[in-house]
Amino acid sequence: CELCGRKTENFTLHHLIPKSRDKTSSNTAVLCKACHGMVHRLFTNKELEKDYYTVDRLKKHSDLMKFIEWVKSQDPHKRIKIK
């Protein structure tokens, strides 16, 4: 995962600029399901497009930083439910 660094078999592609905002953008990041779920829990598509359109920018958000630190200690094969 490009955010937490965990090695897992269940990766997803996160469109750094949401497809609903730019259908032509091909910039993606490979994220585990837990990180991908948390990104979409924390940010609207408008926020992702305007402020969090790179992995580095995502990593600098304080709430996501806390989640990344926690998730890194979790079993990468364990399903993590994002509420």
Side-chain angles (χ1 to χ4, degrees):
C1 175
E2 292 183 53
L3 285 176
C4 70
R6 293 185 316 149
K7 307 276 190 248
T8 180
E9 297 170 6
N10 296 316
F11 286 107
T12 60
L13 276 183
H14 169 66
H15 290 86
L16 292 166
I17 298 176
K19 290 192 310 184
S20 64
R21 309 299 262 172
D22 182 359
K23 293 182 183 355
T24 63
S25 177
S26 60
N27 293 334
T28 58
V30 177
L31 304 181
C32 66
K33 287 184 178 183
C35 285
H36 199 177
M38 184 55 77
V39 165
H40 285 286
R41 179 175 174 255
L42 291 173
F43 308 111
T44 64
N45 282 347
K46 187 175 184 177
E47 291 170 317
L48 289 169
E49 176 190 28
K50 183 179 176 199
D51 300 317
Y52 301 103
Y53 49 85
T54 68
V55 171
D56 286 337
R57 284 177 170 257
L58 287 168
K59 284 182 176 181
K60 290 178 182 173
H61 187 275
S62 62
D63 290 337
L64 195 53
M65 286 171 62
K66 291 175 194 171
F67 177 79
I68 290 168
E69 284 305 308
W70 173 79
V71 83
K72 283 171 29 175
S73 67
Q74 303 303 305
D75 179 349
H77 304 292
K78 174 185 166 189
R79 183 168 185 248
I80 298 172
K81 192 170 188 174
I82 305 301
K83 296 181 181 182

